[in-house]
Amino acid sequence: MKMKQIVIVGAGVSGLVAALNCEAAGYNPILIDADKKIGGRTQSNEYENFILDKGFQVLLTEYESVKKYLDLKSLHLKYFRPGAFVFSEKKDYEISDPFREWWKLPEMIFSGIGTVKDKWLIFRLSQHLKNKKEATIFNGSKQTTLEFLREYGFSERIIDLFFRPFFSGIFLEDRLETPATMFKFVFGKFSKGSAAIPENGIQEIPNQLFKKLKNTTLLLNKKVTHIDENELTIEDGEVIAFDKLILATDHRLIAGNITEEIKYNHSIQYYFKTDRPLLGKKIGLIADNEAGMLGIAAIGELKGVKNPKNGYLLSITLKAETINDQVAAYKMIDDVRKYFKVPELPLTFLGLNYIRRALPVCADLYYNRPLSDFVHNEHIFLAGDYLLNPSLDAAMRSGEMAVEALLCQKS
């Protein structure tokens, strides 16, 4: 006998994957979200013919769950070239991957961004990690990324000029305190696959997942304020009963929940348009501890501009503690002009996003964990990347594992 009703709270990637797995098991779930559209942290908005993602996000094509749940071809991905431009106070550098762009090998060997030993260590590490099984990477080690890099033998120069600015933009913290297991996981995926963004914005990822759903009822603009054992309450007073519930959002909604609040790294995203290509489809890294910026991405250049008169979109990621207002944006214009050495570079401010809960800070990182860890009680189950590791892959996997846990206890 089937359950009467499964409700999923949270229509981000975790909730959408949970809904897909519920349907695959024969159920017709209700999917609820407080927002006016699906996607959670993977959303985009349109402004002046530009698509502005909610924060700078890239899709790593080698994530196993990405390959399982997404049709990458239909996303019309636009790929970043491997490597980056590094802007530092004394000198600028271009980093390339000579194993994908062989003609860049002499330039990389003799560039001053690090020693020859550093470059050998990068090659050795990438070859070691790119085919390493995920379960062996997430081994419970508490070592930080910075501690690992130093122990591995990298110089302080390559750490400060490459690893710190590059992974600060991914982890949204510039001390490299993120566990080394996460660094190894992400570095391996970058080494093996590609980084890309959908042509029509990161929103296309949840949109594609949603289009696969056939028997799910979607309720938007429904802010859940309270969850009891078999019913939840919406902000307007509406009560919805359920047999089983998957919570793919803030776990503090559960009545009587005494679990510690999940900590998050925050980020600020500014958007500008300019009149020219600047980065050659690479990411720009800011190797300056005093700077408020973490990185620059030439999104318009990456996607290809059909009408150059409309301008090229620049996305700039800032540290969370940086002042996030329009005045700061105009001050930032001078810094961008300095980095690109174009004093008269035209830059028009388009908007900003302050992402308060951009990336969970996980005390312990997992790739797999017991299904019992996704169970709050016999009626309520948990999903979200905070249960595994801060990645799109983990968001998808957690939605899948929450449904597995539910099905194991459905009787």
Side-chain angles (χ1 to χ4, degrees):
M1 181 176 177
K2 292 190 175 181
M3 289 176 267
K4 293 179 181 178
Q5 190 60 68
I6 298 176
V7 171
I8 303 167
V9 180
V13 168
S14 296
L16 289 163
V17 169
L20 282 169
N21 281 273
C22 283
E23 285 196 0
Y27 298 100
N28 304 332
I30 296 174
L31 182 60
I32 302 174
D33 200 278
D35 208 339
K36 62 184 179 181
K37 62 181 179 181
I38 63 172
R41 300 199 301 267
T42 51
Q43 290 185 351
S44 308
N45 295 301
E46 289 191 36
Y47 181 76
E48 291 190 3
N49 297 315
F50 291 104
I51 297 174
L52 310 182
D53 288 341
K54 187 177 181 180
F56 175 60
Q57 303 183 56
V58 299
L59 177 66
L60 295 183
T61 59
E62 279 302 307
Y63 279 151
E64 291 302 320
S65 293
V66 163
K67 292 187 285 187
K68 179 177 181 179
Y69 287 105
L70 296 177
D71 177 2
L72 297 181
K73 185 177 180 180
S74 68
L75 288 175
H76 303 290
L77 295 177
K78 300 300 178 180
Y79 295 91
F80 286 96
R81 285 178 57 206
F85 285 99
V86 179
F87 301 103
S88 69
E89 186 177 352
K90 295 181 179 179
K91 186 179 178 181
D92 301 335
Y93 304 90
E94 181 180 1
I95 299 175
S96 301
D97 182 351
F99 301 99
R100 303 191 203 197
E101 298 178 337
W102 57 267
W103 56 93
K104 295 282 188 177
L105 179 60
E107 179 183 320
M108 272 302 296
I109 291 176
F110 297 107
S111 71
I113 197 165
T115 66
V116 173
K117 177 185 175 183
D118 286 326
K119 290 148 193 175
W120 160 247
L121 290 176
I122 288 175
F123 167 71
R124 190 176 75 176
L125 183 61
S126 66
Q127 296 304 301
H128 172 66
L129 292 176
K130 66 195 249 182
N131 294 312
K132 195 172 178 66
K133 296 295 183 182
E134 291 85 351
T136 62
I137 292 176
F138 290 94
N139 58 9
S141 171
K142 300 291 186 180
Q143 186 181 43
T144 69
T145 297
L146 182 58
E147 290 169 344
F148 169 77
L149 292 173
R150 286 172 172 167
E151 182 182 274
Y152 202 78
F154 288 108
S155 69
E156 293 298 317
R157 181 173 178 81
I158 196 73
I159 290 173
D160 288 338
L161 288 178
F162 172 61
F163 287 110
R164 192 184 303 277
F166 189 85
F167 285 93
S168 292
I170 295 170
F171 300 149
L172 302 181
E173 57 91 5
D174 60 359
R175 297 177 182 271
L176 297 182
E177 294 174 339
T178 299
T181 49
M182 194 66 205
F183 163 79
K184 295 174 188 177
F185 177 56
V186 173
F187 191 73
K189 297 304 179 184
F190 270 107
S191 299
K192 188 174 182 179
S194 300
I197 56 175
E199 183 177 34
N200 291 320
I202 206 73
Q203 180 82 47
E204 287 301 294
I205 292 174
N207 287 353
Q208 186 183 104
L209 294 171
F210 180 72
K211 287 176 183 177
K212 294 181 179 182
L213 295 172
K214 305 300 180 185
N215 301 304
T216 296
T217 300
L218 177 64
L219 303 177
L220 295 175
N221 287 311
K222 297 283 187 180
K223 184 178 180 180
V224 176
T225 58
H226 191 78
I227 298 174
D228 284 307
E229 189 170 294
N230 281 107
E231 64 181 26
L232 59 83
T233 304
I234 306 295
E235 191 173 41
D236 62 7
E238 180 184 0
V239 175
I240 298 176
F242 58 82
D243 291 287
K244 304 288 183 180
L245 179 140
I246 296 173
L247 187 60
T249 185
D250 194 341
H251 67 306
R252 293 173 297 168
L253 294 171
I254 303 171
N257 187 14
I258 58 173
T259 307
E260 286 187 20
E261 180 179 358
I262 302 165
K263 295 181 180 179
Y264 283 83
N265 283 332
H266 317 305
S267 74
I268 305 168
Q269 203 70 29
Y270 280 83
Y271 295 96
F272 297 88
K273 70 174 179 180
T274 186
D275 67 344
R276 67 197 69 181
L278 293 168
L279 287 169
K281 297 186 179 181
K282 288 189 175 184
I283 295 173
L285 306 178
I286 313 301
D288 181 357
N289 290 334
E290 302 302 318
M293 288 185 240
L294 290 174
I296 304 172
I299 304 298
E301 185 177 349
L302 179 72
K303 294 181 178 182
V305 175
K306 296 177 182 178
N307 184 0
K309 291 182 180 179
N310 292 333
Y312 292 77
L313 179 64
L314 280 182
S315 171
I316 301 177
T317 305
L318 272 68
K319 300 174 185 177
E321 62 269 23
T322 309
I323 297 173
N324 56 320
D325 60 18
Q326 194 164 332
V327 175
Y330 290 112
K331 292 179 181 177
M332 194 187 312
I333 288 174
D334 290 335
D335 289 335
V336 174
R337 288 170 173 164
K338 179 185 72 174
Y339 291 133
F340 287 109
K341 297 178 176 56
V342 184
E344 303 303 321
L345 179 68
L347 289 164
T348 302
F349 174 65
L350 297 176
L352 66 88
N353 273 319
Y354 176 62
I355 303 96
R356 188 176 62 85
R357 294 157 60 90
L359 209 63
V361 179
C362 304
D364 298 296
L365 299 178
Y366 304 90
Y367 187 73
N368 286 310
R369 61 189 301 182
L371 293 180
S372 58
D373 290 345
F374 297 83
V375 180
H376 178 74
N377 61 35
E378 63 178 314
H379 300 287
I380 300 174
F381 302 81
L382 306 175
D385 56 354
Y386 71 92
L387 292 161
L388 294 171
N389 62 77
S391 68
L392 178 66
D393 180 79
M396 292 179 168
R397 288 175 57 77
S398 71
E400 177 183 299
M401 296 175 82
V403 176
E404 288 182 25
L406 182 153
L407 295 175
C408 287
Q409 296 197 3
K410 67 179 181 178
S411 58

